[in-house]
Amino acid sequence: DDILRVIDNAHVENSGGIKTLYGVTVNGEDLNGGRWACARVVGIILNKAGVGISRKITAVSQVQSALSGWEKIDNYNLVRAGDVIIYKHKNNESGKCTGSGNCHDVIAVSTSRVYGNVGRSIPGLLSQGPQTHFMAWLRPAGFIFKRAYRPSN
């Protein structure tokens, strides 16, 4: 799968505090210093894998729109590696992804792990920026599964 290959080869460069993934900044001011970079990270990976999506997107709603033609997975237990997963924050009653951290997106790399942006460092566990981490860590951060999108094969 091209998406998983791109993730396997992903390397975050850090030069003078500026983090880049495949040459695209992921912690700029337009992304609140990297706190709101999840859509950018997913967009970069998908673009590099040949999906027609911009590497410069900044919103989860833009990811959802770009993947509207993909298969929609509404059951968390059916998610598999390569699926793009959208989460909504527990305080997001409408479920609409309107910005400012009310939704989050990642790419599944296994049944228990995802690749995506970590908005805040967790000392001893995670640093801020793009990386693979456990799906289970999203729930304590307040995120609830909304939908996944699967590429057509």
Side-chain angles (χ1 to χ4, degrees):
D1 184 278
D2 287 343
I3 294 170
L4 297 177
R5 180 186 48 77
V6 171
I7 290 170
D8 284 343
N9 294 324
H11 177 71
V12 177
E13 298 285 334
N14 191 346
S15 177
I18 301 298
K19 292 182 182 179
T20 60
L21 176 63
Y22 286 111
V24 181
T25 302
V26 293
N27 67 337
E29 288 304 313
D30 60 331
L31 303 169
N32 194 16
R35 288 196 51 224
W36 299 337
C38 64
R40 171 79 47 92
V41 169
V42 167
I44 292 166
I45 295 296
L46 294 177
N47 178 277
K48 186 78 172 167
V51 176
I53 189 171
S54 171
R55 299 175 345 145
K56 299 280 189 159
I57 63 171
T58 58
V60 174
S61 61
Q62 292 171 309
V63 172
Q64 288 180 289
S65 179
L67 304 182
S68 63
W70 288 24
E71 180 183 353
K72 293 167 184 62
I73 309 298
D74 291 318
N75 182 333
Y76 178 80
N77 295 317
L78 298 178
V79 170
R80 64 183 188 214
D83 291 351
V84 176
I85 308 170
I86 309 295
Y87 291 88
K88 68 174 192 155
H89 194 271
K90 64 183 178 185
N91 296 333
N92 179 356
E93 293 178 17
S94 75
K96 294 180 180 173
C97 299
T98 57
S100 301
N102 68 358
C103 287
H104 186 62
D105 59 349
V106 293
I107 301 171
V109 296
S110 73
T111 56
S112 63
R113 295 177 68 80
V114 294
Y115 184 85
N117 187 65
V118 173
R120 292 187 181 139
S121 296
I122 302 171
L125 290 176
L126 299 167
S127 59
Q128 183 185 38
Q131 61 199 279
T132 300
H133 59 84
F134 287 102
M135 265 186 222
W137 290 349
L138 291 164
R139 187 165 278 292
F143 290 101
I144 302 164
F145 177 81
K146 178 180 175 182
R147 170 175 279 165
Y149 294 86
R150 181 170 296 150
S152 305
N153 290 334

